[in-house]
């Protein structure tokens, strides 16, 4: 589990990458930072490794597509969980 300081640094790194229009870097930073946490959430929600892996793949695709339109109305962590949930 990340500390508050680590989460803050991750959020800032993603924001800086987005501000520089470096979408690939922003997405990679998000997946590397929050990916294990999101995958764990999906596994708990589904109870099946294969299902959680499939949903995680969809989450990553949605993240790549949606990141350029991120409006900053929440943290990237909250937004990531919302993507994974849907």
């Amino acid at each position: 589990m990340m500390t508050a300081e680590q989460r803050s640094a991750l959020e800032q790194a993603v924001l800086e990458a987005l501000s520089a229009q470096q979408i690939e870097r922003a997405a990679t930073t998000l997946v590397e930072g929050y990916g294990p946490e999101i995958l764990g959430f999906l596994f708990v929600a589904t109870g099946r490794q294969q299902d959680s892996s499939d949903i995680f793949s969809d989450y990553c695709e949605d993240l790549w597509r949606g990141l350029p339109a991120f409006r900053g109305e929440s943290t990237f962590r909250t937004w990531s969980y919302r993507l994974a949930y849907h």
Side-chain angles (χ1 to χ4, degrees):
M1 186 70 114
M2 277 189 204
T3 66
E5 293 82 20
Q6 290 170 320
R7 245 188 249 118
S8 179
L10 176 62
E11 295 279 330
Q12 185 62 36
V14 174
L15 185 58
E16 288 172 6
L18 271 183
S19 295
Q21 300 204 355
Q22 296 176 338
I23 305 302
E24 183 176 335
R25 189 176 107 209
T28 299
T29 301
L30 269 175
V31 171
E32 288 176 349
Y34 291 136
E37 187 177 328
I38 297 292
L39 187 56
F41 162 74
L42 293 171
F43 180 70
V44 168
T46 64
R48 296 185 50 176
Q49 183 68 37
Q50 185 61 46
D51 289 345
S52 59
S53 294
D54 291 344
I55 296 168
F56 184 77
S57 178
D58 291 340
Y59 152 78
C60 289
E61 185 177 331
D62 290 346
L63 183 140
W64 276 90
R65 288 183 178 170
L67 196 53
F70 180 77
R71 296 186 308 233
E73 296 174 354
S74 67
T75 64
F76 291 108
R77 182 174 184 255
T78 298
W79 183 73
S80 291
Y81 270 93
R82 196 72 177 156
L83 282 177
Y85 180 79
H86 289 285

